[in-house]
Amino acid sequence: MDLFNSALGRNITFIRPAYFIISGFVGIPYTEYYYVFLCFVYIASVLGNTVVMVLIYLDHNLRTPKYIAVFNLAFVDLLGNTVLVPKVIDIFLFNHLLIPYIDCLIFCFFCYTCLSMQSLNLVALSYDRVVAIMFPLHYQTKVTNRFMFNLIASFWLFVIIAILMLVGLLTRLSFCDSVVINSYFCDHGQIFGLACNDNFPSDVISYLLPVLILWIPLLVILSSYFCIGYALSKIASGQERAKALKTCSAHISLVAIFFTPILITFTIGPQIHPNARIINLSLTSVFPPMLNPIIYVLQTQEIKNSMKKLLEIRRKSRIMVK
């Protein structure tokens, strides 16, 4: 109990800096070109995710549980990139390396919230695929629009509470010496590492949260595909197996793109070089949101059909106007 008193005691005065300094890359020249590259990736992400959201909103045939989850994924990708990339460009291209203490905590909250929701959203999509393939006759009753709304809302609630705890514990830390964050954003691990008082609670949650947000969702997703594979092994027709697997191809691609780099970063932890951590986390943050809409447009027939239908309607309306 005494171990936590130093961080949670009522009568302790905490030393909080007026600002933090975001260092970015260390010892690498011409890094501004990398941030310009992130800017172009961000523009592509905004366009792609906006298109997916508009298609789902306009096409009533896409008002299904699966596409409720896809809409939320596109929204989270758009929100996460909009929170991160413009701020990173402002910091490094316009040389605004100082970020106020409160602004840094808010920045940290939104970045980790969006990153966590991407992971849990993939769980929602995996559940949809499991029920659709293993219990096709009961799909309409087991996976309804209301159920998917409630599932995603519960994920949002869980993530917001968890990240509020994560950021809240940072307010119980004192910063006596350095205020330089060796990252490209207000990275939680880098911030609590600068503390000069007991940071044990923050250290614990830095190990616990990746388990809850990354490892457990990944295990759930892998288990779901093990069940899908077992169910498909009982299907005699190879053509039916291929058809069922094709409906999962987009989701499998998203899982691989998202989890592989981020798990490497969080598993290695402090041992990874700050520059490698910056590259890994930044690409993990901006590339999946850019690739997600591309994958869904290219690999999902419903999205293709919806896009063709809307383009055809627009073409006909132009002809009528002329």
Side-chain angles (χ1 to χ4, degrees), residues 13-24:
T13 301
F14 298 101
I15 303 172
R16 292 167 182 164
Y19 55 82
F20 287 106
I21 300 172
I22 310 293
S23 68

Side-chain angles (χ1 to χ4, degrees), residues 34 83 142 192 203 270 283 288 303:
Y34 179 73
V83 166
K142 286 180 176 291
F192 83 78
D203 192 27
L283 293 181
I303 293 284

Side-chain angles (χ1 to χ4, degrees), residues 239-257:
Q239 187 176 1
E240 290 180 356
R241 292 179 192 170
K243 184 178 179 181
L245 284 174
K246 189 177 180 181
T247 65
C248 302
S249 59
H251 183 255
I252 293 172
S253 302
L254 301 185
V255 170
I257 290 169

Side-chain angles (χ1 to χ4, degrees), residues 93-303:
L93 292 188
F94 296 96
N95 205 32
H96 297 155
L97 302 180
L98 304 183
I99 180 168
Y101 174 80
I102 295 298
D103 291 358
C104 191
L105 297 186
I106 294 172
F107 190 22
C108 178
F109 170 79
F110 279 104
C111 287
Y112 277 93
T113 297
C114 293
L115 197 66
S116 302
M117 273 307 301
Q118 288 181 37
S119 173
L120 294 180
N121 216 105
L122 294 173
V123 173
L125 286 168
S126 70
Y127 176 79
D128 175 85
R129 290 299 83 205
V130 166
V131 178
I133 293 173
M134 295 188 66
F135 309 101
L137 299 179
H138 301 284
Y139 178 79
Q140 299 294 336
T141 56
K142 286 180 176 291
V143 185
T144 62
N145 286 356
R146 183 175 180 179
F147 172 83
M148 188 59 72
F149 271 123
N150 290 337
L151 181 63
I152 290 173
S154 66
F155 284 159
W156 272 105
L157 183 63
F158 168 73
V159 165
I160 289 172
I161 292 173
I163 304 302
L164 279 175
M165 290 177 59
L166 181 88
V167 176
L169 287 173
L170 294 178
T171 65
R172 317 303 294 177
L173 300 177
S174 292
F175 301 90
C176 314
D177 302 316
S178 175
V179 291
V180 178
I181 300 173
N182 294 318
S183 186
Y184 72 107
F185 77 113
C186 293
D187 192 342
H188 173 263
Q190 298 295 322
I191 294 175
F192 83 78
L194 298 174
C196 58
N197 65 337
D198 179 28
N199 63 6
F200 179 74
S202 291
D203 192 27
V204 169
I205 202 169
S206 72
Y207 286 100
L208 179 62
L209 202 61
V211 173
L212 296 176
I213 298 297
L214 297 175
W215 284 108
I216 291 178
L218 180 59
L219 288 175
V220 170
I221 292 169
L222 294 177
S223 299
S224 69
Y225 277 103
F226 176 80
C227 295
I228 288 172
Y230 178 75
L232 292 180
S233 67
K234 295 184 175 182
I235 298 176
S237 171
Q239 187 176 1
E240 290 180 356
R241 292 179 192 170
K243 184 178 179 181
L245 284 174
K246 189 177 180 181
T247 65
C248 302
S249 59
H251 183 255
I252 293 172
S253 302
L254 301 185
V255 170
I257 290 169
F258 176 77
F259 279 102
T260 303
I262 199 168
L263 283 176
I264 291 173
T265 301
F266 282 102
T267 301
I268 298 175
Q271 300 173 6
I272 191 170
H273 191 277
N275 289 343
R277 182 182 176 90
I278 289 173
I279 293 173
N280 209 339
L281 275 179
S282 60
L283 293 181
T284 303
S285 300
V286 300
F287 255 91
M290 181 193 73
L291 294 175
N292 289 351
I294 296 173
I295 290 170
Y296 263 99
V297 169
L298 294 178
Q299 296 190 21
T300 309
Q301 192 61 41
E302 296 96 330
I303 293 284

